Amino acid sequence: MKKKWLWLASLGFLSALIIVFFVINKKDKIILTEVNMVSSTMGVLEKELTFSSLMEDANAVVVGKVVGTTLLNGEKPAFSVKIQEHIYGETDDDTVLVYLDEELIEQDEKYVFFLEPFDSPIYDDFFYLNHPEFIIKLEENNQLLRLKDAFEKTYEQPFVETQYNTLTGLKQYIHENIKTKPPYVPIPNEIYDLQDLMDESDIVAEITIEKIENEGSVSVVDYTVLETYKGKFHVEDLLLPSHKIKRNGQYIIFLKKDDGEWLLTTRHNSLISTNDKNYRDYMAFVQGIK
């Protein structure tokens, strides 16, 4: 059975999203209104959606305007969001990527985003998630509205208590009641020094890809190890970015174990093919280490 991380990493949760909330605070001072969300995103909530659970997952809460879209790994569209105000926490940039169903938010509109980092080196870009059943639109009169029907674009107030249904009221509640988390540090895009890259990796090897089971933007591969330069290469369900691999391709690969999962050490220079202009430099380095 493939690991749970596989379907999460492949973003197949558009049609079957499982959202896990670990902390439920029954004494929430701020209560969400009951909304039967209508959209094509089918959420399976293992625990009740509360404001506490939203804040438990969020590393940042921001006011942002949707300014465009970007394709993750050249396939999955994500929204480009220009941040206008940080209410809680910090983000890695003033413009961030937020992955949501395209029907849930609209171009050139302002929203309050509850941003949860989705940090996987299998994707070329670092991006955030926002709970698909808690889409909060900001009106010009400072009012907050929660999406109720994604197709009809109908909204209603997000909170039972009226004083929290304005940006001012929500900001005041968060500032007075929610402790700020440490800034999130994303996985590095690249580690330029090859010795540092080697030191950060638990496995360094040369492989040939024998079979690719395509999961969209991410694939599970069967492989043959040609040479191992560090560690022991016995990885089941090896996940690699689909647009960077091909059957019978030969690669130098750098892997790191993170929370029980084997991942590429960096986003952009941990999977080097024979066609890469730096392949000979990498090969000379790893062969010199052995």
Side-chain angles (χ1 to χ4, degrees), residues 28 43 56 63 99 108 110 156 196 239:
D28 267 355
E56 178 68 16
V63 176
Y99 182 77
D108 299 320
K110 294 180 183 178
E156 65 178 57
D196 290 343
L239 298 172

Side-chain angles (χ1 to χ4, degrees), residues 259-270:
D259 196 25
E261 304 289 348
W262 287 103
L263 306 174
L264 295 172
T265 305
T266 60
R267 296 185 197 283
H268 298 309
N269 68 335
S270 290

Side-chain angles (χ1 to χ4, degrees), residues 125-170:
D125 300 290
F126 171 73
F127 60 94
Y128 293 92
L129 305 177
N130 186 97
H131 195 293
E133 294 185 0
F134 198 72
I135 306 299
I136 304 300
K137 190 175 182 180
L138 176 61
E139 298 287 88
E140 292 184 358
N141 59 3
N142 199 41
Q143 295 293 310
L144 303 178
L145 293 175
R146 180 181 177 184
L147 183 64
K148 181 178 180 180
D149 190 310
F151 305 107
E152 298 293 333
K153 292 295 183 289
T154 56
Y155 298 82
E156 65 178 57
Q157 291 186 330
F159 303 108
V160 172
E161 298 87 348
T162 303
Q163 67 267 32
Y164 301 131
N165 289 317
T166 65
L167 181 60
T168 302
L170 179 61

